[in-house]
């Protein structure tokens, strides 16, 4: 791999002074979707050595930590979220030694490492599930999962009406060796992902042991997959209606966001805290919890629970100033009520990339809005996650041929936000080459021909490129004491415009499709589009970028100002 060609010198920005209240409160964390980040061995699938070789890019970008998606032994029925051995690395991604090297190198570069933990379900190839299937008809090994007899005269109907998030029933029927149908087992996701029974003490003990394994290897925390799903309502009652996976609309569902999950998170917090480390070295947990509202989400980040929870209400908010302001206010109020910071996110490996989500009038508009949204997010109080490739302005790939798609949701019915391969296409590092520098071979999903022009190589050092916008924003965020954790207030602004104030700092966002004139808020620090300055109001003398006169905020733009 031609590392020198595409990796910048590691930036030497001083670390933020920090609030001393915990590194996670204002950290910028970069999500590495391991399959699609960098491939060191040319098999077309990203791997841990590939990630390690590219870490200087992330240090140079200016993030504080990386989150690695699952790289454990897995049949890959759901991109690795179906784990068969939680303590071993899948040969597709490397070895345990590679994981160890990666963590060490990241730490040398000043980056923390968060790994994914998948506690709601195992793979159907996990030894526990193999043992459960073999323990016929109703043996003790089945109690670690949810096996139930079916309904109907011959047990031919699923035990209840729950639907899988990936479509179809959430139950699959087992078969005896002679082919006779047996009991059913629960899987909220694919049939290859049987749900664990978290009422079973061995399940709880096993996960404490798995967490210890990775903490002892040196990881700085865990992203907890389906953190809202491990506990099911007693008796597993019917729901009585379809469309059960549309969670964000606020329904109470008997398989998500049950109060019992908080006991698990409390016990994990005690474990994380037992590793010490103080505010700068604490081991952390971040919840992937799709829950009804900001108040329910805040329960996951109470002082004795996890440290962060992804703010999916921000992610799903449409491009609308009033709506965004409402989500920001509700999120800040809810997290403040429990003393936590908010964790902003715009994209991840499960949703359509925001450059495409915001592209109502075409890709140019989508990119302009994506750049503006990034500056807004990085100006807000709290922590932020950046999904690989968003710093390049990558759009969703919408025209993948059906035969290359691997998302299990595609094989079943409608998925969470649609099908998820289009946001997982391997990222481009160089202008040319079989996989634009992703690796020495091809790539497991085809990259669009235009992606050479969006590569790291094509954007590095180019003023105004999306990569340089992110680098500049992250460098400023480190330098300006008023950003990150801390207070924020809204300033008066015309309809369609947001203006927020932090100590010594103002951020303006124009969500309209037309320019808006404002009195210059301060000295321009950074802007997603070039600002145009007019003469000072009144005497008409001279343009100003330093706090006098008027500024024309371009359509769909965001700017940062020193005040
Ligand atoms: C959330 C993960 O982000 C997603 O990719 C996965 O399919 C489900 N959880 C099930 O593990």
């Amino acid at each position: 791999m031609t590392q020198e060609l595409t990796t910048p010198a590691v930036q030497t920005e001083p670390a933020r002074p920090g609030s001393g209240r915990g590194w996670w409160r204002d950290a910028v964390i970069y999500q590495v979707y391991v399959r699609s980040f960098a491939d060191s061995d040319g098999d077309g699938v990203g791997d841990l050595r590939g990630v390690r070789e590219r870490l200087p890019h992330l240090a140079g970008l200016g993030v504080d930590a990386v989150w690695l998606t699952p790289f454990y032994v897995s049949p890959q029925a759901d991109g690795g979220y179906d784990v068969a051995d939680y303590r071993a690395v899948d040969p597709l991604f490397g070895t345990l030694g590679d994981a160890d090297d990666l963590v060490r190198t990241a730490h040398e570069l000043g980056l923390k490492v968060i790994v994914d933990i998948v506690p709601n379900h195992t793979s159907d190839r996990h030894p526990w599930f193999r043992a459960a299937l073999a323990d016929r008809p109703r043996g003790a090994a089945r109690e670690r999962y949810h096996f139930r007899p079916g309904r109907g005269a011959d047990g031919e109907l699923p035990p209840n009406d729950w639907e899988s998030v990936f479509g179809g029933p959430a139950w699959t029927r087992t078969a005896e060796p002679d082919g006779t149908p047996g009991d059913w087992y629960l899987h909220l996701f694919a049939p290859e992902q049987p749900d664990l029974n978290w009422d079973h003490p061995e399940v709880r003990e096993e996960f404490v042991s798995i967490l210890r394994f990775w903490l002892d290897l040196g990881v700085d925390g865990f992203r907890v997959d389906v953190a809202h799903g491990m506990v099911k309502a007693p008796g597993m009652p019917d729901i009585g209606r379809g469309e059960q996976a549309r969670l964000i609309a606020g329904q109470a569902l008997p398989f998500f966001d049950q109060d019992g999950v908080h006991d698990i998170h409390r016990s994990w917090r005690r474990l994380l805290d037992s590793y010490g480390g103080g505010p700068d070295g604490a081991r952390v947990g971040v919840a992937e919890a799709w829950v009804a509202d900001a108040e329910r989400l805040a329960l996951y980040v109470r002082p004795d629970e996890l440290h962060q929870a992804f703010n999916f209400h921000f992610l799903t908010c449409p491009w609308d100033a009033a709506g965004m302001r409402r989500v920001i206010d509700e999120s800040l109020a809810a997290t403040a009520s429990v003393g936590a910071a908010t964790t902003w996110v715009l994209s991840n490996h499960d949703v359509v990339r925001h450059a495409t989500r915001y592209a109502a009038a075409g890709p140019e508009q989508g990119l302009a809005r994506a750049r503006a949204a990034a500056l807004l997010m990085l100006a807000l109080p709290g922590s932020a996650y950046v999904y690989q490739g968003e710093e390049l302005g990558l759009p969703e790939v919408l025209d993948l041929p059906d035969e290359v798609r691997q998302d299990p949701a595609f094989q079943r019915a409608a998925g969470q936000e649609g099908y998820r391969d289009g946001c997982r296409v391997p990222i481009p590092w160089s202008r040319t080459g079989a996989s634009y520098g992703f690796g020495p071979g091809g790539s497991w999903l085809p990259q669009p021909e235009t992606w050479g022009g969006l590569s790291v190589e094509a954007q590095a050092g180019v003023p105004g490129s999306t990569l340089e916008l992110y680098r500049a924003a992250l460098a400023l965020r480190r330098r300006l004491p008023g950003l990150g954790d801390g207070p924020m207030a809204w300033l008066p602004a015309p309809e369609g415009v947001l203006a927020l104030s932090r100590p010594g700092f103002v951020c303006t966002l124009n969500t309209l499709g037309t320019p808006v004139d404002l009195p210059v808020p301060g000295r321009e620090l950074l802007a997603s589009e070039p600002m145009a300055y007019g003469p000072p109001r009144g005497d008409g003398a001279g343009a100003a970028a330093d706090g006098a006169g008027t500024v024309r905020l371009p359509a769909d733009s965001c700017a940062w100002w020193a005040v």
Side-chain angles (χ1 to χ4, degrees):
M1 186 178 290
T2 53
Q3 196 179 330
E4 297 74 18
L5 187 70
T6 50
T7 50
V10 176
Q11 99 172 17
T12 51
E13 284 293 334
R16 278 178 54 74
S19 57
R21 298 169 70 201
W23 67 269
W24 66 91
R25 292 183 67 97
D26 59 5
V28 178
I29 301 174
Y30 186 96
Q31 180 189 351
V32 171
Y33 189 68
V34 177
R35 297 176 72 86
S36 303
F37 187 68
D39 171 22
S40 72
D41 60 10
D43 66 355
V45 179
D47 49 45
L48 296 180
R49 286 189 56 191
V51 177
R52 177 166 166 256
E53 286 168 8
R54 295 295 189 182
L55 285 176
H57 167 73
L58 301 182
L61 185 59
V63 300
D64 303 295
V66 295
W67 150 33
L68 305 170
T69 53
F71 48 77
Y72 316 110
V73 169
S74 161
Q76 305 292 322
D78 182 22
Y81 284 95
D82 48 318
V83 182
D85 183 346
Y86 288 83
R87 296 181 187 80
V89 173
D90 197 291
L92 191 60
F93 301 122
T95 63
L96 200 53
D98 293 334
D100 200 28
D101 289 347
L102 195 168
V103 172
R104 199 166 355 93
T105 305
H107 287 166
E108 282 162 14
L109 289 167
L111 297 167
K112 294 188 187 292
V113 178
I114 290 176
V115 296
D116 230 301
I117 187 84
V118 188
N120 180 69
H121 42 264
T122 67
S123 160
D124 62 348
R125 302 294 168 85
H126 189 284
W128 277 3
F129 194 72
R130 308 310 295 168
L133 287 183
D135 204 1
R136 290 181 295 269
R138 297 206 170 124
R142 294 197 168 190
E143 287 166 15
R144 297 192 196 107
Y145 294 88
H146 298 285
F147 281 82
R148 295 282 184 282
R151 295 199 282 203
D154 299 313
E156 73 281 10
L157 299 172
N160 68 21
D161 68 354
W162 295 3
E163 291 172 0
S164 150
V165 172
F166 294 156
W171 298 89
T172 288
R173 197 168 192 187
T174 59
E176 302 298 331
D178 65 358
T180 321
D183 280 353
W184 298 68
Y185 68 89
L186 177 71
H187 53 86
L188 293 182
F189 296 88
E192 297 87 351
Q193 294 166 295
D195 277 52
L196 284 163
N197 172 14
W198 275 82
D199 286 332
H200 198 298
E202 281 173 25
V203 172
R204 294 190 183 227
E205 283 159 24
E206 173 66 354
F207 272 87
V208 166
S209 158
I210 293 164
L211 294 178
R212 277 191 189 285
F213 178 86
W214 291 102
L215 290 167
D216 291 342
L217 187 127
V219 306
D220 300 285
F222 300 95
R223 176 265 190 190
V224 184
D225 189 63
V226 200
H228 57 312
M230 287 103 95
V231 171
K232 279 70 181 174
M236 299 195 170
D238 275 340
I239 294 172
R241 64 198 146 102
E243 291 271 293
Q244 294 167 11
R246 306 258 156 239
L247 312 172
I248 212 77
Q251 309 97 319
L253 292 169
F255 49 76
F256 281 152
D257 198 25
Q258 297 293 306
D259 289 338
V261 295
H262 296 289
D263 287 341
I264 300 168
H265 299 317
R266 277 191 202 98
S267 71
W268 287 11
R269 177 60 180 259
R270 287 194 293 275
L271 174 67
L272 293 167
D273 285 350
S274 75
Y275 277 75
D280 292 335
R283 317 289 183 105
V284 304
V286 50
E288 186 230 11
W290 292 85
V291 299
D293 54 37
E295 280 78 33
R296 291 298 300 179
L297 191 64
L299 300 179
Y300 290 78
V301 289
R302 287 178 285 191
D304 59 348
E305 297 205 27
L306 299 177
H307 300 72
Q308 301 187 317
F310 295 114
N311 186 340
F312 293 132
H313 299 100
F314 181 67
L315 182 153
T316 50
C317 182
W319 186 253
D320 161 64
M324 288 164 130
R325 179 171 168 160
R326 198 176 323 113
V327 168
I328 292 167
D329 281 341
E330 287 171 4
S331 307
L332 291 174
T335 47
S337 75
V338 295
T342 307
T343 302
W344 310 101
V345 58
L346 288 165
S347 280
N348 66 28
H349 65 293
D350 289 331
V351 300
V352 173
R353 284 183 177 275
H354 60 280
T356 299
R357 287 204 315 272
Y358 294 146
E364 233 170 82
Q365 181 195 53
L367 180 59
R369 289 178 171 183
R371 290 162 56 98
L375 289 196
L376 171 70
M377 173 173 81
L378 294 171
L380 293 171
S383 164
Y385 277 71
V386 170
Y387 176 49
Q388 67 178 40
E390 75 172 71
E391 80 279 20
L392 305 175
L394 294 188
E396 185 83 358
V397 180
L398 296 169
D399 58 356
L400 289 170
D402 287 356
E403 60 276 13
V404 303
R405 289 183 179 274
Q406 296 198 14
D407 181 357
F410 181 73
Q411 320 301 334
R412 294 171 68 85
Q416 298 172 28
E417 293 269 338
Y419 310 117
R420 302 169 298 168
D421 294 303
C423 59
R424 299 175 176 181
V425 174
I427 63 171
W429 293 89
S430 56
R431 287 177 200 274
T432 54
S435 54
Y436 302 109
F438 166 62
S443 92
W444 68 280
L445 285 173
Q447 299 151 300
E449 278 172 17
T450 49
W451 276 26
L454 294 176
S455 63
V456 174
E457 184 188 22
Q459 296 196 40
V462 176
S465 70
T466 303
L467 176 58
E468 291 303 335
L469 182 73
Y470 270 77
R471 283 182 179 163
L474 292 170
L476 277 168
R477 198 179 141 104
R478 279 179 181 233
R479 209 178 298 134
L480 299 177
L483 289 185
D485 201 11
M488 181 202 110
W490 295 109
L491 300 174
E495 208 178 316
V497 174
L498 295 180
L500 66 91
S501 147
R502 314 282 321 266
F505 175 93
V506 165
C507 170
T508 53
L509 175 78
N510 178 13
T511 63
L512 303 175
T514 49
V516 172
D517 290 341
L518 284 187
V520 174
R523 180 170 55 82
E524 182 183 326
L525 293 168
L526 187 63
S528 65
E529 306 288 331
M531 299 283 128
Y533 292 92
R537 281 184 174 165
D539 63 6
D546 59 359
T550 59
V551 60
R552 177 156 292 185
L553 309 178
D556 297 318
S557 70
C558 187
W560 286 7
W561 312 89
V563 295

